[in-house]
Amino acid sequence: MGDLENRVVIVTGGARGIGLGIAEAVAEQGARVVVADILEDEAEESAKKLGNGHLAVKHDVRKAESAKNLVETTLEKFGRIDVLVNNAGVGPNPTPIQDLTEEEYDRVLDINLRGVFLTTRAVVPHLIKQQSGRIINIASIVGQTGFAMIVPYAASKFAVIGVTQCLAHELAPYGITANNVCPGIVETALHSRVVEQFSAMQGQTVEEGWDFFRNRIPLHRFQTPRDLGEMVAFLASDRAKNITGATFNVDGGWEMH
Ligand SMILES: NC(=O)c1ccc[n+]([C@@H]2O[C@H](COP(=O)([O-])OP(=O)(O)OC[C@H]3O[C@@H](n4cnc5c(N)ncnc54)[C@H](O)[C@@H]3O)[C@@H](O)[C@H]2O)c1
């Protein structure tokens, strides 16, 4: 029997990349997964690939109405929600601060930060009713130490870590924990675009761009979506019942605090 037998786990941005790695890891532990993603077809495909008994829901984390629908659809199908993984996110378009537009700033903050607020706000009343639950937010190593030319992205991830700490305090009386997981460098669509843009700005090949990132990692290898999934599966389980407000790096040693 798995650690998460019959627990209902919502994974935003679960259609691909890290979110899919999380969905696979928790499903293997017996969870019933709700793949909640703006990419409807990909979400359906991914939920099917997980096996029987999972659900895909079209969800746009920027919209309060969408969060309400996600909760209602999940409750109709499964009758409960045990874990919310706020994973949906977008990468930055690396830009010097003097050229950064309000549109780019708002685009990133809207999804990466406001999105966490809106989905969490919709789910929490049900966790409070149950007097149990887990909120797991996918932040980033640049939510702890800044990096040139990605102000909106770093701002969103620093803020998510703060939000999680507030939730940990606020929801502890109801038996609800809240923790952060910070991926290092994962070869997903999101990070591939960032590497392409960075290397073009620096007159490097894309391969040299990837090498730049790899060389900064003490373990000298990138992380996989599944690496993140394993940490999330642990935090969602009873084995992590005494952990809240914490931030875990899964990054090959990039950050060490
Ligand atoms: N890849 C990395 O190296 C890396 C590093 C640190 C943190 N992260 C974080 O991990 C998370 C997942 O990123 P990834 O690398 O798997 O990216 P990805 O682009 O592969 O996947 C992101 C998923 O989020 C979904 N999404 C985007 N906007 C959405 C919206 N408005 N509503 C609902 N879903 C939406 C996408 O459709 C996609 O399925 C993000 O929060 C990202 O910031 C990634």
Side-chain angles (χ1 to χ4, degrees):
M1 195 154 128
D3 273 356
L4 301 173
E5 216 58 48
N6 295 324
R7 303 272 168 89
V8 177
V9 180
I10 295 176
V11 185
T12 70
R16 70 175 190 206
I18 292 172
L20 182 54
I22 293 168
E24 288 169 350
V26 298
E28 243 177 56
Q29 291 300 321
R32 289 171 288 177
V33 181
V34 182
V35 178
D37 204 292
I38 197 165
L39 299 174
E40 196 171 10
D41 294 345
E42 285 86 341
E44 286 287 350
E45 272 296 297
S46 299
K48 254 188 234 143
K49 269 195 223 137
L50 295 177
N52 288 331
H54 306 286
L55 177 69
V57 179
K58 185 174 184 197
H59 176 41
D60 182 347
V61 297
R62 294 169 298 188
K63 308 254 164 69
E65 260 311 298
S66 178
K68 189 167 170 270
N69 175 64
L70 170 66
V71 167
E72 284 169 5
T73 312
T74 302
L75 291 174
E76 258 165 45
K77 168 90 175 168
F78 296 124
R80 58 184 292 120
I81 299 169
D82 296 289
V83 182
L84 169 63
V85 185
N86 285 306
N87 161 80
V90 284
N93 289 311
T95 314
I97 185 68
Q98 62 274 27
D99 299 328
L100 184 62
T101 63
E102 291 100 310
E103 289 74 21
E104 169 66 2
Y105 183 89
D106 291 343
R107 178 187 73 87
V108 176
L109 271 291
D110 226 24
I111 296 174
N112 292 6
L113 179 58
R114 199 161 176 275
V116 171
F117 154 55
L118 291 177
T119 309
T120 304
R121 185 179 66 177
V123 168
V124 157
H126 303 277
L127 304 184
I128 289 179
K129 218 181 285 166
Q130 286 168 198
Q131 295 282 296
S132 69
R134 299 284 157 92
I135 298 167
I136 301 167
N137 292 332
I138 306 304
S140 171
I141 47 176
V142 295
Q144 298 177 64
T145 303
F147 198 90
M149 288 189 279
I150 57 168
V151 162
Y153 187 76
S156 71
K157 296 301 187 177
F158 267 81
V160 163
I161 291 175
V163 166
T164 307
Q165 293 179 7
C166 293
L167 295 175
H169 278 291
E170 192 176 325
L171 300 175
Y174 307 104
I176 301 164
T177 68
N179 291 291
N180 295 297
V181 175
C182 294
I185 305 293
V186 190
E187 295 172 277
T188 61
L190 183 155
H191 199 70
S192 299
R193 250 190 74 237
V194 172
V195 171
E196 276 163 28
Q197 290 178 320
F198 261 123
S199 33
M201 286 169 96
Q202 273 149 18
Q204 292 177 325
T205 64
V206 172
E207 211 164 271
E208 286 168 336
W210 282 110
D211 284 346
F212 166 82
F213 285 101
R214 191 185 290 102
N215 290 337
R216 286 197 54 168
I217 304 172
L219 285 178
H220 214 68
R221 60 171 174 257
F222 299 128
Q223 287 63 66
T224 64
R226 189 54 188 248
D227 291 336
L228 279 305
E230 294 302 329
M231 176 58 86
V232 170
F234 166 69
L235 289 173
S237 77
D238 287 343
R239 289 183 291 152
K241 66 175 184 297
N242 263 326
I243 301 173
T244 197
T247 298
F248 295 91
N249 305 320
V250 180
D251 64 355
W254 181 301
E255 279 294 334
M256 294 199 181
H257 63 90

